């Protein structure tokens, strides 16, 4: 039985009980509905008549509006479990009361209307609650596989309930069929207790807790507003509403023709029950043979087209020839897909909606929208049959019009379905730098004053940056205070901002800051004072004549700032040479001397004077990292081509690499050909090559993208990883860059092919035991070597998965792929399932075929079986796996594999290993020699 279920419905181990319990639960619910619906319809048609049926539809809508309002309010304060339990108990009591009325002969017209309305509400609420609970029993991927099986339970229940009514209604009477409904619902209560305690309760609690982060305003919104603000919910409501209107018109045609031919109440009940069962059989066939395949092949939204198209065929048949067979045909068209493909598709559409919103909106849609649409259908039927004079035949025209609307809504909801999964995966952020300040607003001024009076340095700096290009004299007193008590960063920012102010009261205070121990404060203070004097150069020269070496170097830096605009007043080369000439006289400690050299590099870079560049070259070759950092940054600022080879060479030094990278990026596109040659040169220092992609990522250029994509075929996997990360950085930071989708797609295939090869190798090592010698001597070491290889293979799979998603981020929206990746690696099964479902709807068909099996996981055999023949797999045994690793491009895996086969004395790999003795990587060379010594020894 387990094998049969697994093969037919893809039920995996551990899912059998919950799938069967849900199957049985919906089986009994639908069986009771298929009993009570024919009873209701038969009683109404025989005692009230078909002409009054549209009015019953209208009363259903009015009643549903009231019930839904109360029901949704109740849902906000009652747990889902209690809600289902209480409504089921209430339904049992109601059925007893209706049966008592029938026994006592209360057959007034009002009773039949009440009974008709109650059955409509009972059907909507019971099925809605079941599918809502199913969202907590199954995650998104389980639902996509198992909703077909559960849906088969609903259809089977329909077959059973319909045929039970067909055979027993003429024997025991229509009214007594209600006892079967009561019995079925009692069993449903027992099943509910088991399902909730075992499967749904924990998931429900976790999701509710996690979704408390949703804004309280959103949760407190009226349910109408929630739906109106969500296109996803709006389109879903429209699809369900139009579907109900069409179904009611179909039901009117079917009931009208049937009641004209069959006049006996019990025979009519039996006929209706018989054909409801036949509809369920048709639906079951569709469910078993088509639903799962259609959902897998065409996706959720495509599956929704089947129902309206099939009804369209039946409606045209009645329009051409209104007879009992055509009425049955349109009903079969409706029933064949409604509870199978269409039901599964509609329930899957609700999966990405947050639970708090889903609980309220879905119940509202299933009950109120369903019933409102029933009322609209009733009004239209009254209007067109009573006043326009439409016969049963021409109702088909109305059906065809609504089917057109239905198809348009299905087409539009696909985009919203994908967007809902995207929003479920995203983590939002706020860019505070986009804030602006209106200084005409008194409340803004008061806020700034409060910030300036506080002690939070980060807030003060942020406020000062916002005011950098603005001016407001009311804030001047606070600037005095900040210059006196603020940190060096605050003082610098205030001085820079004060260039907009003509207030000379700041001059004494800033003159005192020239004596500050902070170099940048000195420089900014000198620049402020020079700009507020008649002769800029004189102020700087006066400070340059100081006996204090730190004062002199600060004056030299200030002169460098002024030099480009004041060449007539500043001779930067003469000042620089004079400073170098005097520098030995100071006899400075080494730390202070290094600081002076770093500041001299800044002076050269700021001034841009070509005559000073030779000295900068000397500083680049200095042995002190801080000096090299400053020299590198200013070499890049200079734009001189002669520094490029020296800067590329400095990328090999880890302590200055970041600054050198920024310096090279300053050259822009001019440096890219140099970087490309170094990246493609396999004899270049590996540390330099590994740093080059990050440099290219700092250059906002299409040429950077092209160079990086052209180098995605690098054999070294770590280098390839850095290239992909740099491409991600370029795409994330800069808009307008183009990434060749064809090239990216081919590299996605290549990475997935590598994943499957490593996975197959891991599988054969983990489960075969290999050639491990089982003697006691050295057994522990051999086990360690085998475990090391297995652990390394697992780590490579994790890194490879990251590379696959980074490449997907170049082909699809990067943020979406990043969030999907976080969902995939998450330990929360529902987040992972949502991420997989999102990918299943976004990825191209060819990419999806190779990526989805990886992210779905499962045993290696299952993954490889799903992808058999797609990418090719040369790993069929442990031996072929070892050979693949030894010939591969991952040096660490080569080392682990050689160490393992050396300890296990596997000499059949000698020919391959001999070719690795002269490998450029010293670790590979040493391990290869170790292997040969073991085997030959």
């Amino acid at each position: 039985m387990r094998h049969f279920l697994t093969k037919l419905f893809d039920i995996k181990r551990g899912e059998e009980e919950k799938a069967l319990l849900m199957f049985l639960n919906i089986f009994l619910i639908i069986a009771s509905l298929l009993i009570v619906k024919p009873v209701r319809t038969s009683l109404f048609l025989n005692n009230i008549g078909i002409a009054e049926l549209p009015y019953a539809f209208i009363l259903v809508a009015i009643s549903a509006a009231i019930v839904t309002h109360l029901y949704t309010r109740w849902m906000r304060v009652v747990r889902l479990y209690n809600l289902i339990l209480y409504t089921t108990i209430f339904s049992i009591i109601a059925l007893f009361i209706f049966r008592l009325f029938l026994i006592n002969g209360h057959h007034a017209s009002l009773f039949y209307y009440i009974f008709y309305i109650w059955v409509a509400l009972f059907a909507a609420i019971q099925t809605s609650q079941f599918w809502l609970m199913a969202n907590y029993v199954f995650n998104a991927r389980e639902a996509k596989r198992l909703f077909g099986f559960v849906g088969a339970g609903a259809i089977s229940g329909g077959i059973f309930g319909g045929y039970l009514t067909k055979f027993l209604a003429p024997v025991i009477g229509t009214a007594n069929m209600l006892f079967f409904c009561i019995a079925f619902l009692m069993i449903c209560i027992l099943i509910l207790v088991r399902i909730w305690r075992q499967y749904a309760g924990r998931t429900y609690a976790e999701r509710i807790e996690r979704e408390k982060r949703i804004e309280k305003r959103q949760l407190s919104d009226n349910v109408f507003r929630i739906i109106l603000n969500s296109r996803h919910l709006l389109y879903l409501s429209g699809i369900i509403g139009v579907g109900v209107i069409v179904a009611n018109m179909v039901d009117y045609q079917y009931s009208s023709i049937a009641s004209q031919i069959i006049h006996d109440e019990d025979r009519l009940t039996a006929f209706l029950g018989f054909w409801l069962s036949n509809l369920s059989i048709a639906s079951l066939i569709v469910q078993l043979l088509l639903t799962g395949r259609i959902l897998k092949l065409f996706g959720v939204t495509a599956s929704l087209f089947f129902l309206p198209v099939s009804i369209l065929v039946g409606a045209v048949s009645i329009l051409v020839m209104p007879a009992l067979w055509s009425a049955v045909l349109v009903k079969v068209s409706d029933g064949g897909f409604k509870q199978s493909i269409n039901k599964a598709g509609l329930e899957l559409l609700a999966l990405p909606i947050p639970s708090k919103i889903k609980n309220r909106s879905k119940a509202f849609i299933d009950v109120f929208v369903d019933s409102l649409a029933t009322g609209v259908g009733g009004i239209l039927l009254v209007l067109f049959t009573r006043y326009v004079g439409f016969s049963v035949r021409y109702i088909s025209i109305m059906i065809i019009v609504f089917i057109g609307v239905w198809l348009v809504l299905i087409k539009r909801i696909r985009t919203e379905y994908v967007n809902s999964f995207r929003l479920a995966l995203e983590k939002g952020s706020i860019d505070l730098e986009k804030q602006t300040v209106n200084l005409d607003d008194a409340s803004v001024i008061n806020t700034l004053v409060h910030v300036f009076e506080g002690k939070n340095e980060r807030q003060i700096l942020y406020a000062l940056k916002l005011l950098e290009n603005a001016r407001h004299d009311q804030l001047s007193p606070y600037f005095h205070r900040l210059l006196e008590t603020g940190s060096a960063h605050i003082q610098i920012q205030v001085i820079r901002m004060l260039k907009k102010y003509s207030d000379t009261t700041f001059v004494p205070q800033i003159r005192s800051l020239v004596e500050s121990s902070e170099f940048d404060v000195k420089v900014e203070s000198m620049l402020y004072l020079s700009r507020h004097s008649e002769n800029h150069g004189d102020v700087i020269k006066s400070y340059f004549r100081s006996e204090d070496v730190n004062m002199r170097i600060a004056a030299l830096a200030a002169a460098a700032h002024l030099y480009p605009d004041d060449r007539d007043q500043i001779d930067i080369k003469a000042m620089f040479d004079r400073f170098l000439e005097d520098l030995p006289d100071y006899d400075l400690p080494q730390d202070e001397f290094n600081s002076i050299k770093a500041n001299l590099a800044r002076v050269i870079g700021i001034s841009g004077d070509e005559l000073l560049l030779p000295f900068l070259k000397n500083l680049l070759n200095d042995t002190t990292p801080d000096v090299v950092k400053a020299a590198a940054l200013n070499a890049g600022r200079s734009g001189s081509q002669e520094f490029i080879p020296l800067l590329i060479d400095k990328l090999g030094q880890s302590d200055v690499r970041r600054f050198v990278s920024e310096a090279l990026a300053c050259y822009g596109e001019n440096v890219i050909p140099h970087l490309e040659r170094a990246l493609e040169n396999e004899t270049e220092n590996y540390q330099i090559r590994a740093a080059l992609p990050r440099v290219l990522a700092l250059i906002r250029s299409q040429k950077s993208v092209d160079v990086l994509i052209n180098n995605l075929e690098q054999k070294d996997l770590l280098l390839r990883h850095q290239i992909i990360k740099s491409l991600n950085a370029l795409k994330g930071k800069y808009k307008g860059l183009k990434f060749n989708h064809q090239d990216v797609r081919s590299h996605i295939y290549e990475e997935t092919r590598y994943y499957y090869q490593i996975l197959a190798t891991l599988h054969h090592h983990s489960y075969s035991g290999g050639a491990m010698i089982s003697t006691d001597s050295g057994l522990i070491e051999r086990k360690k070597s085998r475990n090391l290889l297995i652990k390394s293979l697992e780590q490579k799979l994790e890194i490879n998965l990251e590379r696959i998603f980074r490449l997907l981020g170049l082909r699809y929206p990067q943020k979406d792929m990043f969030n999907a990746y976080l969902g995939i690696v998450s330990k929360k099964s529902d987040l992972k399932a949502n991420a997989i479902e999102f990918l299943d709807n976004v990825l191209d068909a060819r990419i999806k075929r190779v990526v989805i099996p990886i992210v779905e996981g499962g045993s290696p055999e299952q993954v490889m079986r799903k992808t058999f023949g797609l990418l090719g797999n040369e790993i069929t045994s442990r031996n072929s796996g070892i050979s693949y690793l030894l010939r591969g491009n991952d040096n660490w895996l080569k080392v682990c594999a050689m160490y393992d086969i050396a300890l296990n004395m596997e000499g059949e790999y000698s020919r391959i290993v001999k070719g690795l003795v002269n490998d450029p990587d010293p670790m590979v060379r040493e391990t290869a020699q170790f292997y040969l010594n073991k085997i030959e020894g």
Side-chain angles (χ1 to χ4, degrees):
M1 181 65 177
R2 173 181 290 171
H3 178 73
F4 171 76
L5 292 175
T6 300
K7 191 158 184 73
L8 187 60
F9 293 103
D10 199 14
I11 299 176
K12 297 181 179 179
R13 185 175 295 275
E15 297 175 346
E16 298 93 338
E17 184 187 22
K18 65 180 176 182
L20 288 171
L21 285 172
M22 293 296 285
F23 178 97
L24 182 58
N25 195 5
I26 194 63
F27 174 93
L28 294 172
I29 291 173
I30 300 301
S32 64
L33 293 181
L34 267 289
I35 292 170
V36 76
K37 279 187 175 182
V39 171
R40 171 203 68 174
T41 305
S42 176
L43 289 171
F44 190 90
L45 293 178
N46 277 280
N47 292 279
I48 304 298
I50 187 66
E52 303 300 315
L53 188 59
Y55 293 105
F57 292 164
I58 297 170
L59 288 173
V60 166
I62 296 171
S63 303
I66 300 170
V67 170
T68 304
H69 176 71
L70 298 174
Y71 184 78
T72 52
R73 286 173 65 91
W74 199 23
M75 284 194 72
R76 296 173 64 178
V77 295
V78 179
R79 292 176 70 226
L80 181 61
Y81 169 77
N82 293 333
L83 191 70
I84 299 173
L85 180 64
Y86 297 156
T87 52
T88 305
I89 292 172
F90 175 79
S91 298
I92 292 171
I93 295 171
L95 286 167
F96 268 117
I97 294 172
F98 286 127
R99 181 63 191 91
L100 289 175
F101 270 78
L102 289 172
I103 291 174
N104 294 329
H106 292 276
H107 293 174
S109 297
L110 180 61
F111 169 78
Y112 295 111
Y113 276 105
I114 293 173
F115 186 49
Y116 192 97
I117 293 167
W118 182 86
V119 170
L121 296 175
F122 165 72
I125 290 173
Q126 285 292 328
T127 54
S128 174
Q129 288 180 159
F130 171 82
W131 289 108
L132 187 57
M133 181 173 68
N135 277 266
Y136 298 104
V137 177
F138 307 113
N139 63 41
R141 298 305 288 176
E142 290 173 340
K144 201 165 188 178
R145 285 186 294 103
L146 301 178
F147 271 16
F149 174 70
V150 175
I155 299 165
S156 302
I159 295 171
F160 177 76
Y163 277 122
L164 190 69
T165 305
K166 156 72 176 173
F167 293 113
L168 291 184
V171 178
I172 66 173
T174 296
N176 290 322
M177 295 302 299
L178 298 182
F179 287 122
F180 287 95
C181 300
I182 292 168
F184 293 163
L185 292 178
M186 286 180 173
I187 299 173
C188 285
I189 291 176
L190 300 177
I191 296 173
L192 168 66
V193 173
R194 173 67 179 175
I195 290 173
W196 192 267
R197 289 180 179 175
Q198 196 68 24
Y199 303 108
R202 183 185 304 172
T203 305
Y204 177 81
E206 288 177 355
R207 289 194 199 174
I208 295 299
E209 180 64 27
R210 189 163 63 246
E211 287 163 4
K212 284 181 179 178
R213 293 173 296 179
I214 298 174
E215 295 181 13
K216 292 182 179 180
R217 180 193 59 78
Q218 187 179 18
L219 294 180
S220 62
D221 274 349
N222 183 282
V223 70
F224 284 100
R225 193 176 303 155
I226 291 174
I227 292 175
L228 289 174
N229 290 336
S230 167
R231 280 199 242 179
H232 185 159
L233 291 173
L234 201 58
Y235 289 146
L236 181 60
S237 301
I239 289 171
I240 291 174
V242 172
V244 170
I245 291 173
V246 171
N248 284 333
M249 291 180 178
V250 167
D251 194 50
Y252 178 83
Q253 288 180 311
Y254 173 69
S255 300
S256 178
I257 295 173
S259 63
Q260 290 173 14
I261 298 172
I262 304 171
H263 302 289
D264 180 72
E265 180 179 292
D266 292 337
R267 285 184 59 225
L268 183 58
T269 302
F271 174 83
L272 295 174
F274 172 73
W275 275 106
L276 284 175
S277 291
N278 291 341
L279 295 178
S280 297
I281 291 175
S283 189
L284 181 61
I285 293 171
V286 172
Q287 187 79 346
L288 294 176
L289 300 181
L290 297 178
T291 299
R293 291 178 175 85
I294 288 171
L295 286 172
K296 185 175 290 186
L297 291 175
F298 301 110
V300 173
T301 50
S303 68
L304 299 177
F305 284 104
F306 285 82
L307 177 59
V309 171
S310 66
I311 294 176
L312 181 63
V313 173
V316 171
S317 300
I318 288 185
L319 186 62
V320 174
M321 187 176 294
L324 185 59
W325 70 266
S326 57
V328 170
L329 176 62
V330 75
K331 192 67 175 174
V332 169
S333 300
D334 179 38
F337 293 105
K338 189 173 185 177
Q339 294 301 328
S340 54
I341 296 173
N342 195 71
K343 186 64 177 177
L346 288 175
E347 295 304 326
L348 286 168
L349 282 177
L351 282 171
I353 302 170
S355 299
K356 287 271 191 181
I357 296 174
K358 185 191 303 178
N359 290 353
R360 298 175 60 199
S361 60
K362 191 173 185 304
F364 177 85
I365 292 170
D366 287 344
V367 180
F368 178 77
V369 173
D370 185 294
S371 302
L372 177 63
T374 300
V376 172
I379 293 172
L380 291 172
L381 286 170
V382 170
L383 178 64
F384 281 91
T385 57
R386 289 285 181 92
Y387 300 105
V388 179
F390 270 23
S391 64
V392 172
R393 177 179 192 172
Y394 292 109
I395 296 298
S396 292
I397 297 175
M398 298 167 59
I399 292 174
I400 292 169
V401 171
F402 276 103
I403 286 175
V405 177
W406 194 346
L407 296 175
V408 171
L409 290 171
I410 292 172
K411 186 176 180 181
R412 291 190 174 182
I413 200 171
R414 183 188 184 279
T415 302
E416 299 308 319
Y417 175 66
V418 173
N419 286 341
S420 293
F421 267 109
R422 179 180 289 118
L423 291 172
L425 294 170
E426 280 184 354
K427 298 181 185 296
S429 60
I430 300 174
D431 186 3
L432 292 177
E433 295 299 326
K434 293 181 180 178
Q435 302 290 330
T436 58
V437 173
N438 177 13
L439 289 180
D440 293 328
D441 188 340
S443 62
V444 172
I445 294 295
N446 292 333
T447 302
L448 291 173
V449 168
H450 179 72
V451 170
F452 292 150
E453 288 178 342
K455 297 182 179 180
N456 189 316
E457 181 177 350
R458 183 183 61 82
Q459 289 183 0
I460 294 172
L461 282 171
Y462 178 68
L464 290 171
K465 287 178 181 179
L466 291 178
L467 292 169
E468 193 166 5
N469 295 315
R471 174 180 171 177
H472 203 286
D473 294 332
Q474 185 178 341
L475 297 174
S476 294
Y478 300 96
F479 297 152
H480 283 287
R481 176 180 171 275
L482 291 174
L483 286 172
E484 181 179 350
T485 62
S487 66
H489 293 297
I490 292 175
Q491 289 173 339
I492 292 168
Q493 190 62 39
V494 171
I495 295 171
R496 288 175 179 171
M497 191 191 62
L498 287 176
K499 64 185 179 183
K500 292 283 183 180
Y501 290 75
S502 57
D503 188 352
T504 58
T505 60
F506 290 102
V507 171
Q509 195 172 8
I510 293 177
R511 186 177 289 119
S512 66
L513 288 177
V514 173
E515 304 295 333
S516 171
S517 60
E518 295 289 337
F519 180 79
D520 288 323
V521 176
K522 284 179 178 290
V523 174
E524 289 296 334
S525 299
M526 291 180 187
L527 287 172
Y528 176 88
L529 295 173
S530 68
R531 291 189 181 104
H532 285 75
S533 66
E534 294 182 1
N535 191 312
H536 298 171
D538 289 347
V539 174
I540 301 300
K541 290 174 184 176
S542 66
Y543 287 114
F544 186 71
R545 290 191 291 269
S546 170
E547 296 295 325
D548 183 355
V549 68
N550 292 311
M551 188 71 74
R552 295 189 69 190
I553 188 64
L556 188 59
H561 279 284
L562 296 175
Y563 176 69
D565 298 324
D566 292 309
R567 292 174 184 261
D568 56 333
Q569 297 187 44
I570 301 291
D571 186 347
I572 193 66
K573 178 67 167 62
M575 294 177 68
F576 193 90
D577 291 341
R578 177 67 181 273
F579 184 83
L580 289 180
E581 183 181 335
D582 296 341
L583 188 58
D585 297 337
Y586 289 101
D587 192 23
L588 300 171
Q590 188 63 44
D591 289 346
E592 192 172 349
F593 183 63
N594 289 335
S595 177
I596 293 292
K597 287 192 290 184
N599 286 324
L600 286 173
R602 291 177 61 185
V603 168
I604 298 171
I606 293 169
S607 70
D609 192 332
E610 293 182 358
L611 297 175
L612 300 179
L613 294 182
F615 187 78
L616 187 60
K617 192 172 183 179
N618 293 333
L619 293 175
L620 267 175
N621 290 313
D622 198 272
T623 57
T624 306
D626 287 340
V627 175
V628 177
K629 290 175 186 177
L633 286 173
N634 289 283
R637 185 179 295 171
S638 73
S640 175
Q641 295 280 316
E642 66 176 295
F643 292 117
I644 292 177
L646 186 56
L647 288 171
I648 291 176
D649 188 57
K650 291 293 180 181
L651 286 172
Q653 297 178 218
S654 60
D655 50 357
V656 300
R657 185 175 296 136
R658 181 171 68 86
F659 298 90
V660 173
S661 298
E662 293 175 7
L664 286 166
C666 290
Y667 286 93
E669 290 189 349
N670 293 330
V671 78
I672 291 178
H674 301 272
L675 302 178
E676 184 178 16
R677 285 194 294 271
L679 183 60
E680 294 174 350
N681 183 7
E682 294 185 2
T683 63
E684 180 65 84
N685 179 288
Y686 180 78
Q687 296 298 326
I688 293 176
R689 294 180 73 204
L692 291 170
R694 290 193 289 269
V695 179
L696 286 163
L698 295 173
I699 303 172
R700 182 181 179 178
S701 169
Q702 184 63 44
K703 290 183 179 179
S704 293
V705 174
D706 296 339
V707 168
L708 289 169
I709 287 183
N710 290 338
N711 280 274
L712 277 174
E713 296 180 357
Q714 289 283 350
K715 293 180 180 180
D716 187 279
L717 296 177
L718 293 177
L719 181 56
R720 191 191 304 173
H721 195 82
Q722 290 298 333
I723 291 171
I724 296 172
K725 286 177 67 175
S726 297
L727 285 167
N728 289 145
L730 280 166
K731 185 177 181 182
K733 291 179 181 177
Y734 311 120
K735 306 299 180 185
L737 298 177
K738 297 178 181 179
F739 296 79
N740 188 295
H741 286 176
Q742 187 61 42
D743 289 342
V744 172
R745 185 187 297 113
S746 65
H747 289 295
I748 292 172
Y749 293 150
E750 186 61 35
E751 289 294 343
T752 52
R753 182 182 293 109
Y754 180 75
Y755 186 96
Y756 292 128
Q757 304 287 37
I758 296 297
L759 182 68
T761 303
L762 174 63
H763 167 64
H764 291 301
H765 276 79
S766 298
Y767 296 97
S768 68
M772 186 177 290
I773 301 172
S774 58
T775 60
D776 291 336
S777 177
L779 180 60
I780 294 176
E781 288 301 317
R782 288 192 295 276
K783 286 183 176 179
K784 285 182 178 179
S785 70
R786 181 62 49 82
N787 290 335
L788 175 63
L789 178 56
I790 290 173
K791 185 67 176 176
S792 298
L793 289 168
E794 290 173 344
Q795 291 174 344
K796 295 300 178 182
L797 286 178
E798 294 175 4
I799 297 171
N800 183 232
L801 181 65
E802 181 186 340
R803 283 203 301 273
I804 291 171
F805 270 89
R806 285 186 175 277
L807 285 169
L808 288 172
L810 303 178
R811 174 68 179 80
Y812 302 95
Q814 193 168 12
K815 190 174 182 180
D816 291 348
M817 293 302 107
F818 174 71
N819 288 320
Y821 174 73
L822 293 180
I824 296 300
V825 299
S826 170
K827 294 182 180 179
K828 296 184 181 295
S829 61
D830 58 330
L831 292 182
K832 181 176 180 179
N834 284 345
I836 297 172
E837 179 65 14
F838 174 74
L839 293 172
D840 201 13
N841 283 276
V842 170
L843 302 183
D844 295 344
R846 290 182 62 192
I847 294 178
K848 181 164 60 178
R849 290 176 67 192
V850 296
V851 171
I852 292 298
I854 292 176
V855 297
E856 280 186 322
S859 67
E861 302 102 311
Q862 291 174 325
V863 176
M864 290 184 289
R865 185 170 62 249
K866 290 177 183 177
T867 57
F868 181 77
L870 292 179
L871 297 169
N873 185 7
E874 61 196 59
I875 312 300
T876 57
S877 64
R878 178 179 176 277
N879 289 345
S880 60
I882 289 290
S883 298
Y884 175 78
L885 296 181
L886 295 177
R887 292 189 175 96
N889 299 319
D890 193 302
N891 289 338
W892 176 246
L893 290 182
K894 286 181 186 178
V895 169
C896 293
M898 284 191 288
Y899 186 63
D900 184 52
I901 59 178
L903 292 184
N904 282 282
M905 301 300 291
E906 299 177 56
E908 61 267 34
Y909 304 102
S910 296
R911 185 176 60 84
I912 303 175
V913 175
K914 285 179 180 178
L916 299 175
V917 173
N918 296 318
D919 192 272
D921 189 302
M923 189 166 54
V924 174
R925 291 199 304 269
E926 292 175 10
T927 313
Q929 193 60 57
F930 171 77
Y931 169 86
L932 293 175
N933 292 340
K934 291 282 289 186
I935 299 301
E936 294 172 359

